[in-house]
Amino acid sequence: MRSKITAVSLAATALTFMVSGAALAETQLNALFMAQAAYSEDDIRAMTTEFEKANPDVKINLEFVPYEGLHDKTVLSQGAGGGYDVVLYDVIWPAEYAQNSVLVDVSDKITDEMKSGILPGAWTTVSYDGKYYGMPWILDTKYLFYNKEMLKKAGIEKAPTTWAELKADAQKIKDAGIVEYPIAWSWAQAEAAICDYTTLVSAYGGDFIKDGKPAFAEGGALDALDYMVDSYKSGLTNPNSKEFLEEDVRNVFQNGDAAFALNWTYMYNLANDPKESKVGGNVGVVAAPGVEGISEESAVNGSMGLGITSTSEHPDEAWDYIVYMTSQKVQNDYARLSLPIWASSYTDPAVTEGQEELIAAAEKGLAAMYPRPLTPHYQEMSLALQQGIQEALLDMSSPKDALEAAAENSGLE
């Protein structure tokens, strides 16, 4: 009897050890993502579940924060000795992250297939000083969305191709009583306002930095802020735009309270969905306008990448996860809220069908993407510009004075 009990006990002990060993063998990765714009949380969870099925020894713990929390969460976790293995980051951060060793240099992991297959502009998202700090994942810029029905009621036959035309069209729509405030922007004191501002800077041919010094208080960069302030004071822009982020703009537009809106790719299919939107089926999209004699389109580089933190204890598994998430198949399968980084995807019916208008706008917009400055001092410069834009909109300072003050506080002088 004792021998049977002993045998059973030994078997149970062995089973416990095996289960415990299996649990210990499972690699846990922590990944930080954005809880707004581009891919939805549901999309990211679905992608991750598929990866885990193909890699049963790896478990991904997902965390979602608003865009405004991505940078600080990443940096603070480094100071605390780690926390994340994979992080989503904006195109504006590689310089700072490289200088402070936040991300792993993965240049030796980039294959020839990746280099030839991914759109050249996408690589600017993850590169700095000749090195790659991850893989591009979200290829994005801001587009001009418009309500086709409202334009038709005002006798406007096509979307504006210049910012001057946009202002004239908005005035027609306002005068006709179709909507009180025809334009909605993301002008809250946040990076969103810098993206709208950069789009206009690109249209007017302006510069942020020249010879290492701020240059945005003159030329096209000053013209860009002049346009914003004039649009705001004229009553063509929704006055709440000074507090809007991108989701606020989407909600206003798809509720039928704006004829025009500047926003990212993700808004197209959401605003066109009758289940989600009051204006579903009436949403048009084009590349953001240009300025006569200067530009034909305007665009900001709003792309984002996935990188491995320097404190990750599982860099190989983290890289496998990043390669999966950025793979062409996964990007093609989830191309309704974010367009793929792969060049050949744009001839794939699975990607283009039902969003031909968006693809046509993307061909122009993505080719015109204008970068926000690649500088280790970007965060300081952005905060100074955000404050300057707000002061100009609120008539606390002239655009010229506001930008000059921003230059003094930019950390670049």
Side-chain angles (χ1 to χ4, degrees), residues 1-13:
M1 182 68 176
R2 181 179 295 178
S3 63
K4 287 184 179 180
I5 292 173
T6 302
V8 170
S9 298
L10 288 171
T13 301

Side-chain angles (χ1 to χ4, degrees), residues 63-276:
E63 182 177 345
F64 296 90
V65 297
Y67 169 86
E68 289 72 26
L70 272 180
H71 175 273
D72 289 353
K73 275 272 190 179
T74 299
V75 172
L76 290 173
S77 72
Q78 295 287 112
Y84 301 111
D85 300 279
V86 174
V87 291
L88 177 66
Y89 62 93
D90 202 343
V91 64
I92 54 182
W93 298 331
E96 176 194 347
Y97 284 3
Q99 187 179 68
N100 296 305
S101 301
V102 173
L103 298 177
V104 174
D105 175 4
V106 296
S107 301
D108 61 344
K109 297 179 181 292
I110 306 298
T111 66
D112 291 339
E113 182 184 8
M114 291 171 178
K115 289 178 181 177
S116 63
I118 292 174
L119 289 163
W123 286 113
T124 63
T125 311
V126 297
S127 62
Y128 179 71
D129 199 23
K131 297 177 181 179
Y132 296 107
Y133 291 91
M135 284 284 285
W137 189 48
I138 295 170
L139 182 62
D140 211 351
T141 190
K142 286 203 164 185
Y143 300 94
L144 179 67
F145 294 87
Y146 62 98
N147 185 308
K148 294 179 178 180
E149 185 177 3
M150 287 185 183
L151 266 64
K152 186 177 180 181
K153 284 182 178 178
I156 301 168
E157 297 181 356
K158 62 181 181 65
T161 57
T162 69
W163 288 104
E165 285 181 11
L166 173 63
K167 189 179 293 185
D169 288 348
Q171 191 66 59
K172 287 180 184 178
I173 290 168
K174 185 179 180 71
D175 291 345
I178 296 169
V179 65
E180 186 176 4
Y181 301 115
I183 315 172
W185 309 77
S186 307
W187 288 351
Q189 192 166 331
E191 189 62 29
I194 303 301
C195 291
D196 282 9
Y197 174 63
T198 302
T199 303
L200 287 161
V201 170
S202 77
Y204 282 98
D207 294 294
F208 281 100
I209 300 174
K210 280 184 180 179
D211 301 321
K213 296 183 178 180
F216 46 75
E218 59 189 27
L222 176 57
D223 293 338
L225 186 54
D226 280 336
Y227 184 94
M228 294 170 71
V229 171
D230 181 70
S231 178
Y232 185 78
K233 290 183 176 180
S234 68
L236 298 176
T237 281
N238 188 313
N240 293 322
S241 289
K242 67 182 184 298
E243 291 136 18
F244 283 169
L245 295 173
E246 291 89 346
E247 275 293 83
D248 301 307
V249 170
R250 177 171 75 90
N251 289 331
V252 166
F253 183 85
Q254 68 184 35
N255 196 47
D257 295 326
F260 298 105
L262 202 67
N263 215 334
W264 307 107
T265 303
Y266 84 108
M267 186 168 115
Y268 181 71
N269 282 296
L270 290 179
N272 249 329
D273 182 357
K275 295 178 182 178
E276 178 86 19

Side-chain angles (χ1 to χ4, degrees), residues 295-359:
S295 60
E296 293 186 2
E297 291 93 18
S298 54
V300 56
N301 189 342
S303 303
M304 306 186 81
L306 291 174
I308 305 167
T309 64
S310 58
T311 54
S312 173
E313 296 181 358
H314 307 286
D316 292 336
E317 292 86 350
W319 178 248
D320 290 342
Y321 178 56
I322 288 173
V323 169
Y324 179 84
M325 296 291 276
T326 59
S327 66
Q328 188 167 18
K329 182 185 183 307
V330 171
Q331 291 227 311
N332 286 3
D333 287 346
Y334 293 89
R336 293 303 171 199
L337 298 180
S338 184
L339 295 176
I341 59 175
W342 299 87
S344 62
S345 294
Y346 292 83
T347 58
D348 186 338
V351 173
T352 61
E353 189 173 354
Q355 51 183 10
E356 291 82 1
E357 194 173 357
L358 175 62
I359 298 298

